[in-house]
Amino acid sequence: REAAGAGAPSALPRVLSALFYGTCSFLIVLVNKALLSAYSFPSPMFLGIGQMAATILILYVSKLNKIVHFPDFDKSIPVKLFPLPLIYVGNHISGLSSTSKLSLPMFTVLRKFTIPLTLLLEIIILGKRYPLSIIVSVFAILLGAFIAAGSDLSFNLEGYTFVLLNDLFTAANGVYTKQKIDPKELGKYGVLFYNACFMVVPTVIISFSTGDFHQATHFQHWTNVLFVFQFLLSCLLGFLLMYSTVLCSHYNSALTTTVVGAIKNISIAYIGMLIGGDYIFSVLNFIGLNICMAGGLRYSFLTLRGNSKPTQPGDEE
């Protein structure tokens, strides 16, 4: 057992990377909610472009100053990355669109469906196996989501569609990122940089063709200093969220990264009950939220005990 664990990351970077991801994810949901709902910013795709541009700029300047290292571009990089760029832009657009169309509590509840999807994709794509106790915890979270979503009194079909698509893209993004961040290949910085580079131009084209870019440039609040500050903050947090996601997946598993996000979302749901003004209270919804929290805490407890470490059939270690 000691030999098997010798190459595994220690507990400290695993916990710190999870906390870093949870904090970034928490902050960006609140900032995006303010931009898309409180200010009624009409262009979620334009916001995604800003986040991609911030990622490219920060990583490129960091590479020039030798702060980070990743390989220079060559013709093999698109092959190494595929299908991450497509998943990446789908995750961005569906996530930002769903945030603007649902109340915070229901947005965070429906995001729980990412967890069983991640579990399933890790089993299919990465060949991992999880103990029954972890699977039970995952489906407790899903059960709570079903109960809460079933009692949603502010049903929005378009919002539900976007958030469920976002769940699928997020699960696929986590699993494929875990597969692609081999330091001998692109590494975590290379994955982030080239993902953003490949997708920023198609996203700009889509934004122009759909009128999203026109709506953004003619938005009335560009002279509002507080709005501009929050927009730039969202762009910075978009980079930090992508970086923290890769970091957490590197030190943990894609499933652990997803569950950390779910636990974070529960706290946002409770905040959404008190602020925002778009939460409609019902007993079943509240019970469902608490079942989700119980499942998430159970998963965290098992992770800290070390019971969630997945196994791969045929792996010598």
Side-chain angles (χ1 to χ4, degrees), residues 257-270:
T257 302
T258 305
V259 171
V260 169
I263 296 172
K264 170 270 308 178
N265 284 341
I266 289 292
S267 61
I268 294 179
Y270 289 135

Side-chain angles (χ1 to χ4, degrees), residues 100-221:
S100 64
K101 298 182 183 298
L102 293 173
S103 68
L104 267 178
M106 287 318 304
F107 170 76
T108 55
V109 163
L110 291 174
R111 289 287 286 143
K112 304 300 176 295
F113 287 87
T114 304
I115 301 173
L117 287 171
T118 303
L119 180 69
L120 183 62
L121 289 177
E122 282 201 325
I123 291 171
I124 294 172
I125 296 172
L126 303 182
K128 294 183 176 181
R129 298 293 181 267
Y130 285 94
L132 181 61
S133 56
I134 289 296
I135 295 174
V136 169
S137 299
V138 164
F139 279 93
I141 299 172
L142 185 60
L143 174 63
F146 267 117
I147 294 172
S151 64
D152 183 15
L153 302 179
S154 55
F155 181 81
N156 181 312
L157 178 60
E158 187 180 1
Y160 273 47
T161 301
F162 273 120
V163 79
L164 291 174
L165 281 173
N166 188 225
D167 291 343
L168 180 60
F169 282 124
T170 300
N173 185 68
V175 172
Y176 277 106
T177 297
K178 181 70 174 178
Q179 186 184 59
K180 304 284 185 182
I181 55 176
D182 184 353
K184 296 178 182 178
E185 298 290 337
L186 296 177
K188 52 183 177 289
Y189 298 113
V191 167
L192 287 175
F193 181 78
Y194 289 114
N195 248 337
C197 285
F198 290 147
M199 293 318 302
V200 70
V201 174
T203 307
V204 168
I205 293 172
I206 294 171
S207 181
F208 267 105
S209 63
T210 58
D212 180 272
F213 192 88
H214 177 79
Q215 287 182 309
T217 53
H218 289 78
F219 187 58
Q220 60 182 349
H221 286 298

Side-chain angles (χ1 to χ4, degrees), residues 217-238:
T217 53
H218 289 78
F219 187 58
Q220 60 182 349
H221 286 298
W222 285 116
T223 54
N224 185 327
V225 175
L226 186 58
F227 169 79
V228 173
F229 170 76
Q230 290 184 67
F231 183 88
L232 294 176
L233 180 61
S234 177
C235 292
L236 176 61
L237 286 171

Side-chain angles (χ1 to χ4, degrees), residues 183 234 297 309:
S234 177
L297 292 177
K309 186 178 179 181

